Amino acid sequence: QVIKCKAAVLWELNKPFSIEEVEVAPPKAQEVRIKILASGICRSDDHAINGALVMPFPIILGHEAAGVVESVGEGVTSVQPGDKVIPLFVPQCGECRSCKSTKGNLCAKSDIGAPSGLMADGTTRFTCKGKAIHHFIGTSTFTEYTVVHETAVAKIPAAAPLEKVCLIGCGFSTGYGAAVQTAKVEPGSTCAVFGLGGVGLSVIMGCKAAGASRIIAVDINKDKFAKAKELGATDCVNPKDFTKPIHEVLIEMTGLGVDYSFEVIGYTETMAAALASCHFNYGVSIIVGVPPAAKKITFDPMLLFSGRTWKGSVFGGWKSKDAVPKLVADYMEKKFVLDPLITHTLPFDKINEGFDLLRKGK
């Protein structure tokens, strides 16, 4: 059956969401239809609104969520109606080179590189006012019902609190994994984290869990510092308090730079600063924030020649279908906290207010 439900449709760039009635088609073969019960707001959604992340319009955004399987298409075996699940914006097909490699996690089936906004068969499952509406990175969670491919959904324990574990669908896993999976931070190391939103705070938790001895939190919004310290930051630095470049400040604080730096904002200027702030010979800098589409970076190649490593990390380097159920189980065993990452809880029709809070750094 086609389901009619509410969704937040984005008709064009730089406009507010419009709460509309949409029709959600039934799942085709190998697809799953999910009733979304909780969705986080992530900066990447905002990047799509303002064009920094180029997407086809009209579109239903949202990619950090949890819900319950409503129905499954032909041939689906990993989940069944009634299962609690988290949609995965990085799928895990198990067959492509990245999925088969122990070194990779960015499945070839993902819709991230050159997004089509469509399902695998080249069509969409959403219609509104007679128009086809695009999907967002294979998930689209700002709607009461969505359809995803079976490779893009993970079954989680029935007892999991969906309004908390939805964060494991993106923000928490992305940040925590950047530290423990991508960087593989070692005990006793020094780290710097640029950007203290939900993902940056999750990086701090990962660095702390890995045993880092010093975690320097960097942000121009000092209101973020108390929570960063609560979650493990040992120092908080506001670049606005200094006349010299922030990488020079960090090098002075640590002697020769940090062992690991993380850019969790998505600005090319801070990516270059994070690289320059890690140790000249063996420092590793990880790009976690989504880079803006039209920007390029110019940097001194001597920064890399001397031995530094510059890496990117998508979804924290986790193989999604394998890792998400384990991360949810770890959360339920109190191995990490999620509550401090949740600042506000709003009803779905207040989604535009939620984005206003995000943009104000609240």
Side-chain angles (χ1 to χ4, degrees), residues 128-151:
C128 180
K129 298 176 178 168
K131 285 197 176 75
I133 308 292
H134 291 90
H135 295 250
F136 180 56
I137 51 179
T139 46
S140 288
T141 64
F142 294 161
T143 167
E144 292 174 320
Y145 288 87
T146 191
V147 177
V148 303
H149 196 271
E150 186 183 13
T151 56

Side-chain angles (χ1 to χ4, degrees), residues 4-20:
K4 288 187 175 178
C5 69
K6 275 196 307 190
V9 177
L10 197 65
W11 292 101
E12 50 188 311
L13 269 180
N14 291 313
K15 287 286 194 307
F17 291 96
S18 177
I19 302 287
E20 306 275 8

